[in-house]
């Protein structure tokens, strides 16, 4: 299986900050990397698919970049509702694998 | 509006069989390109993909769990059922179902998850 390494595992930030989360695949996955936001008690929410495509309804402060094995989720101008858990997922293979997740906490 | 909801027992004894149902609305599993996957998350661990069933009844399973899993669909009821045999305490976790666009192979809508505890 393709291993996904996500970092950091947690970070503290303030409203308005620019936040960057990275995900590294153990082999090339082309552009097949997706990002999700998850809040406790809610369904995970798709933010970005295919590395950089913004899911409908997701604010433009969320963006994704990368290719091959290294990928980044950026939140430009953190908002109070963005404090949550974020995880990446590779869809290069039918057998999906996920990053360990990043908890974005209030500083 | 696409919604999915997982249901099943909250507590299962070791060696028993776990049966989970995903009931969805807002799409049809008879539509070309649609699929439903099951994913789980043990406490404190990463998400783990389990299985997927497509609109054409193609089925895919996790290599490590394939001997214990069975996925099926009832298109008329908008349900997907996952059974997992020979439950062990390590199977404790939150189980999610999610809609999949088979061409893009990514889950775009998820359920809220169902917590299953495997314990005697």
């Amino acid at each position: 299986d393709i291993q996904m390494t996500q970092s950091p595992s947690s970070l503290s930030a303030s409203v308005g900050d620019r936040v960057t989360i990275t995900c590294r695949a153990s082999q090339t996955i082309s552009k097949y990397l997706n990002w999700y936001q998850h809040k406790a008690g809610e369904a995970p929410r798709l933010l970005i698919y295919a590395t950089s495509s913004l899911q409908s309804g997701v604010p433009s402060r969320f963006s994704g970049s990368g290719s091959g094995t290294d990928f980044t989720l950026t939140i430009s101008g953190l908002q109070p509702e963005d404090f949550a858990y974020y995880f990446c997922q590779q869809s290069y293979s039918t057998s999906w694998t996920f990053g360990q997740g990043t908890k974005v906490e209030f500083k | 509006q696409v919604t999915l909801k997982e249901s099943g027992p909250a507590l299962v004894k070791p060696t028993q069989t776990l049966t989970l149902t995903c009931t969805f609305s807002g799409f049809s599993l008879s539509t070309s390109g649609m699929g439903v996957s099951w994913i789980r998350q043990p406490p404190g661990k990463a998400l783990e993909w389990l299985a997927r069933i497509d609109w054409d009844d193609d089925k895919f399973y996790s290599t490590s769990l394939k001997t214990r899993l069975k996925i099926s669909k009832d298109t008329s009821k908008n349900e997907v059922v996952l059974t997992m045999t020979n439950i062990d305490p390590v199977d404790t976790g939150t189980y999610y179902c999610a809609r999949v666009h088979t061409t893009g192979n990514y889950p775009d809508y998820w359920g809220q998850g169902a917590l299953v505890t495997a314990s005697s």
Side-chain angles (χ1 to χ4, degrees):
Chain A
D1 283 353
I2 300 171
Q3 305 303 313
M4 304 301 296
T5 303
Q6 186 174 340
S7 61
S9 57
S10 66
L11 64 90
S12 298
S14 301
V15 172
D17 284 353
R18 179 183 175 96
V19 167
T20 299
I21 299 168
T22 64
C23 209
R24 173 167 288 177
S26 61
Q27 66 180 72
T28 182
I29 56 172
S30 185
K31 65 175 183 177
Y32 300 104
L33 192 283
N34 313 301
W35 291 97
Y36 299 84
Q37 178 191 68
H38 192 194
K39 296 180 180 178
E42 299 183 8
R45 176 194 184 195
L46 174 65
L47 300 175
I48 303 282
Y49 63 94
T51 296
S52 58
S53 296
L54 195 66
Q55 173 71 348
S56 175
V58 174
S60 59
R61 63 180 179 272
F62 291 93
S63 63
S65 63
S67 68
T69 60
D70 294 305
F71 301 87
T72 300
L73 172 70
T74 300
I75 310 172
S76 301
L78 199 65
Q79 296 301 300
E81 60 268 29
D82 299 337
F83 292 94
Y85 176 81
Y86 294 85
F87 61 89
C88 62
Q89 175 245 345
Q90 64 80 14
S91 51
Y92 180 81
S93 72
T94 302
S95 184
W96 300 335
T97 46
F98 300 83
Q100 288 276 6
T102 297
K103 186 173 183 180
V104 176
E105 300 175 297
F106 182 72
K107 184 184 286 183
Chain B
Q1 182 188 2
V2 174
T3 64
L4 303 99
K5 186 170 184 178
E6 306 85 355
S7 60
L11 182 64
V12 183
K13 287 182 167 45
T15 75
Q16 287 186 337
T17 294
L18 170 65
T19 299
L20 294 167
T21 301
C22 176
T23 305
F24 56 87
S25 63
F27 69 99
S28 172
L29 251 188
S30 59
T31 301
S32 175
M34 288 292 125
V36 169
S37 270
W38 284 94
I39 306 108
R40 71 179 179 181
Q41 186 167 33
K45 296 190 175 181
L47 291 152
E48 177 185 21
W49 174 77
L50 300 176
R52 183 181 110 189
I53 189 165
D54 290 350
W55 64 280
D56 56 1
D57 213 36
D58 264 353
K59 302 176 181 72
F60 306 88
Y61 295 100
S62 161
T63 303
S64 60
L65 292 167
K66 61 191 286 186
T67 60
R68 300 173 54 208
L69 296 175
K70 181 180 178 182
I71 192 168
S72 62
K73 64 181 173 69
D74 186 330
T75 305
S76 65
K77 291 183 178 179
N78 281 352
E79 289 183 351
V80 170
V81 175
L82 180 76
T83 60
M84 179 182 290
T85 60
N86 195 23
I87 289 296
D88 183 271
V90 300
D91 296 314
T92 293
T94 300
Y95 286 72
Y96 299 92
C97 62
R99 185 181 82 161
V100 185
H101 281 280
T102 59
T103 48
N105 189 31
Y106 60 85
D108 58 352
Y109 290 93
W110 297 58
Q112 289 184 299
L115 177 61
V116 177
T117 301
S119 173
S120 53

